[in-house]
């Protein structure tokens, strides 16, 4: 399973766009890129998933270049409630391996 | 629709005792997973059920851990006897049958286990 590398932490201010980049150099052909969000004392929550190019939903956008060796989660206009840990996962099939995640802290 | 529920939310036991954690997945979700996070470490996969069958139990740490899913509905994870290093948060997740790509897994709130 592909290993992912992402920043340990990031700071932002309310109303800013936040981009979190994840590296997954040995991603396999059948792997998907998935992002989860976790608040303290809660289980991880699915944000977005993609295979290539760009995916957008009501919460975020996911940008994946042609070589798929990295991806960028984009959170538009963050608020204080977006303070959480964000996990980038590369998943083929069912097995899910979590890395350390990126701790995003949104300040007023 | 109810999400994934876990019981208890917290459990404090002494070393050597037995603890059983329960997970109720979302109705209709054939896939059920157990994960755990020990203090300061990453969330680790323990095992995966498809209905009542263990599909992958490669993450189970040792034979003190026993997971069951009788009837393919709720699941239990028993730790017997518990050791200090078993302390952590145990998460359960479920997902619908696979269709064209990895499924979104829906996580429960976790059970915080403390072994004294």
């Amino acid at each position: 399973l592909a290993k992912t590398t992402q920043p340990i932490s990031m700071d932002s201010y309310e109303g800013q766009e936040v981009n979190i980049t994840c590296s997954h150099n040995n991603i396999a052909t059948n792997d998907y890129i998935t992002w989860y969000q976790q608040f303290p004392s809660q289980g991880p929550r699915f944000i977005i998933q993609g295979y290539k190019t760009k995916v957008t939903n009501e919460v975020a956008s996911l940008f994946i270049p042609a070589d798929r060796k990295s991806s960028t989660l984009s959170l538009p206009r963050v608020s204080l409630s977006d303070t959480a840990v964000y996990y980038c996962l590369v998943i083929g099939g069912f097995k899910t391996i979590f890395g350390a995640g990126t701790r995003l802290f949104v300040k007023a | 629709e109810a999400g994934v529920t876990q019981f208890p939310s917290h459990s404090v036991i002494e070393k050597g005792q037995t603890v059983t954690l329960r997970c109720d997945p979302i109705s209709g979700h054939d896939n059920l997973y157990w994960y755990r996070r020990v203090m300061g470490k990453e969330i680790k996969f323990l095992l995966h059920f498809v209905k009542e069958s263990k599909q992958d139990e490669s993450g189970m740490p040792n034979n003190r851990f026993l997971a069951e899913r009788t009837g393919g509905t709720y699941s239990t994870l028993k730790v017997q006897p518990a050791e200090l290093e078993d302390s952590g948060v145990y998460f359960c997740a479920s997902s619908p049958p696979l269709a064209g790509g990895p499924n979104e897994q829906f996580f429960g709130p976790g059970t915080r286990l403390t072994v004294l």
Side-chain angles (χ1 to χ4, degrees):
Chain A
L1 292 170
K3 178 181 171 60
T4 61
T5 303
Q6 54 185 121
I8 294 175
S9 65
M10 294 180 69
D11 288 346
S12 182
Y13 288 93
E14 279 190 294
Q16 288 188 331
E17 177 185 79
V18 171
N19 295 308
I20 306 175
T21 297
C22 177
S23 298
H24 27 81
N25 291 317
N26 58 340
I27 188 170
T29 302
N30 61 345
D31 287 342
Y32 283 71
I33 298 153
T34 308
W35 287 79
Y36 280 80
Q37 173 192 56
Q38 187 179 26
F39 299 111
S41 301
Q42 295 185 24
R45 184 175 73 102
F46 175 90
I47 301 175
I48 197 167
Q49 178 176 279
Y51 185 80
K52 60 182 179 180
T53 63
K54 177 183 175 182
V55 179
T56 297
N57 61 23
E58 65 277 6
V59 176
S61 294
L62 178 59
F63 299 91
I64 305 169
D67 66 5
R68 304 200 327 124
K69 293 184 183 298
S70 67
S71 59
T72 299
L73 174 73
S74 181
L75 304 173
R77 297 179 300 282
V78 294
S79 63
L80 296 177
S81 62
D82 291 318
T83 293
V85 178
Y86 293 81
Y87 295 97
C88 165
L89 311 171
V90 174
I91 306 174
F94 291 103
K95 194 161 186 174
T96 301
I97 295 182
F98 284 84
T102 297
R103 188 173 298 275
L104 173 65
F105 185 69
V106 181
K107 297 179 275 191
Chain B
E1 179 183 345
V4 176
T5 58
Q6 294 187 243
F7 182 83
S9 57
H10 294 83
S11 180
V12 180
I13 62 172
E14 292 189 352
K15 175 182 172 181
Q17 289 186 322
T18 297
V19 63
T20 300
L21 313 180
R22 172 170 170 144
C23 169
D24 286 80
I26 293 172
S27 178
H29 282 193
D30 289 348
N31 298 290
L32 187 149
Y33 317 80
W34 284 98
Y35 297 84
R36 77 170 178 178
R37 168 189 271 147
V38 296
M39 184 65 71
K41 299 291 183 63
E42 296 161 2
I43 299 173
K44 295 287 190 184
F45 167 86
L46 295 180
L47 89 160
H48 167 216
F49 283 100
V50 178
K51 297 184 180 179
E52 67 276 8
S53 300
K54 293 176 184 175
Q55 186 76 14
D56 181 352
E57 53 184 329
S58 61
M60 294 289 265
N62 52 60
N63 59 9
R64 295 186 293 103
F65 289 75
L66 175 65
E68 294 180 320
R69 191 182 182 195
T70 306
T73 55
Y74 71 91
S75 175
T76 58
L77 179 64
K78 180 190 290 188
V79 185
Q80 179 182 29
E83 298 289 344
L84 299 179
E85 64 265 24
D86 300 331
S87 295
V89 181
Y90 289 77
F91 292 104
C92 174
S94 71
S95 69
L98 186 65
N103 280 334
E104 171 185 352
Q105 293 184 23
F106 296 81
F107 282 77
T111 293
R112 181 173 296 278
L113 174 65
T114 302
V115 183
L116 302 177

